[in-house]
Amino acid sequence: MWTDIDAHITQITGEKFHSAQRRSVGGGCINQGYAISDGKLTYFVKLNQASQVAMFEAEALGLEQMYNTGTIRVPKPICCGTTGNHCYLVLEWLEMGSGNAKTWEEMGRKLAAMHKATTVNGFGWNMNNTIGSTPQINTWTSNWTEFFRKYRLGYQFQLVRRRGGRFPQAEDLLAAIPEILADHAPQPSLVHGDLWGGNAGCTLKGEPVIFDPATYFGDREVDIAMTELFGGFPAAFYHGYDEVFPLEPGYERRKTLYNLYHILNHFNLFGGGYESQANSMIARILHS
């Protein structure tokens, strides 16, 4: 396996690479992660079952699109493929450090700059990808309200029903989305798609970086909303973002709607108390 990965890295980079050193590192709850090195160059490698190669292909494409905006730092994708029973994704290795207020403010500014990257294709993406291990449907759609209603919340509620979840106000919520988003007409923005604290940080040199994306073109507010979902980013981040690309009126109500997507996904992945949290959010949205 490693011989095949080394050969692929050599082919793509044009520099002979032999991974003389390999060590296991955190790869999240879905993948195995390794740091591999020839003593001079180091790469980060994610491994999974060969059947999951499309997930890595989508992640590589998302990182490549974000990297090519020349805005916020992401790990540069090197190559991905399959070998035997495994699939792999090779990324640039970044030494991570701890950030300060200046770092977080710069992260906000650079994310705002990335969000200005748009497309004429509407809302969606080149392919379906995953949010966690859940399929994320990215069919191109000209209308944001329709896209979010059908391919974000609507799809999650389909999965909820298969899991046996109880969401008595689900249909009321889906019917209310056109009213909730009636005065909101966002441009399609290149979004990270899964921007919580575990997917953001900074390098040892203090450069802000984001990783593990669930990329698509959507309302930029979905990224900002998720940064607030699990404890929030430092205040400097939001200050930096607003300097470059201020949020529009009505964000507070939309924030809860957008974050419901992730809480429903957590219920579909993990069950438990996410059902009651999602139901509380639905009630809050409908009565706000």
Side-chain angles (χ1 to χ4, degrees), residues 79-273:
C79 58
C80 66
T82 59
T83 173
N85 295 325
H86 291 91
C87 64
Y88 58 88
L89 171 62
V90 181
L91 304 172
E92 171 189 19
W93 175 263
L94 297 175
E95 291 285 353
M96 302 300 288
S98 56
N100 54 29
K102 182 178 179 181
T103 306
W104 284 101
E105 189 170 343
E106 185 67 6
M107 181 179 290
R109 285 194 289 264
K110 289 190 171 184
L111 181 69
M114 189 187 87
H115 282 166
K116 292 187 177 184
T118 189
T119 177
V120 297
N121 294 325
F123 300 95
W125 203 45
N126 308 65
M127 64 178 75
N128 295 336
N129 52 10
T130 53
I131 181 74
S133 59
T134 304
Q136 182 167 260
I137 310 303
N138 294 319
T139 304
W140 288 112
T141 308
S142 60
N143 180 277
W144 168 245
T145 299
E146 180 184 351
F147 178 86
F148 189 77
R149 182 180 184 275
K150 184 174 183 180
Y151 298 120
R152 291 298 178 261
L153 293 190
Y155 183 72
Q156 288 289 339
F157 279 126
Q158 289 179 33
L159 300 180
V160 157
R161 286 191 287 272
R162 296 177 198 171
R163 192 179 172 92
R166 296 179 298 278
F167 295 89
Q169 293 183 292
E171 292 304 319
D172 291 341
L173 177 72
L174 291 174
I177 290 176
E179 180 274 323
I180 295 169
L181 298 179
D183 298 324
H184 187 55
Q187 72 168 22
S189 291
L190 182 64
V191 299
H192 177 283
D194 194 13
L195 193 58
W196 65 291
N199 289 342
C202 75
T203 67
L204 277 178
K205 296 181 179 179
E207 184 178 15
V209 59
I210 56 177
F211 40 86
D212 290 346
T215 314
Y216 63 100
F217 284 91
D219 181 356
R220 64 194 175 100
E221 291 180 355
V222 299
D223 274 352
I224 304 304
M226 196 181 188
T227 67
E228 297 191 56
L229 186 55
F230 300 114
F233 283 17
F237 166 82
Y238 303 101
H239 177 73
Y241 189 93
D242 284 341
E243 275 187 2
V244 176
F245 205 172
L247 296 176
E248 297 176 6
Y251 163 72
E252 288 299 321
R253 189 184 189 199
R254 293 189 296 271
K255 173 179 72 176
T256 306
L257 180 72
Y258 292 164
N259 280 341
L260 177 62
Y261 172 64
H262 298 290
I263 297 303
L264 289 173
N265 186 49
H266 275 62
F267 170 77
N268 283 315
L269 291 172
F270 310 117

Side-chain angles (χ1 to χ4, degrees), residues 61-72:
L61 178 60
L63 288 169
E64 181 180 8
Q65 286 189 357
M66 291 193 291
Y67 184 89
N68 287 342
T69 65
T71 55
I72 194 165

Side-chain angles (χ1 to χ4, degrees), residues 19-32:
S19 56
Q21 304 162 21
R22 309 180 194 107
R23 60 184 173 89
S24 178
V25 295
C29 58
I30 300 171
N31 308 299
Q32 296 174 280

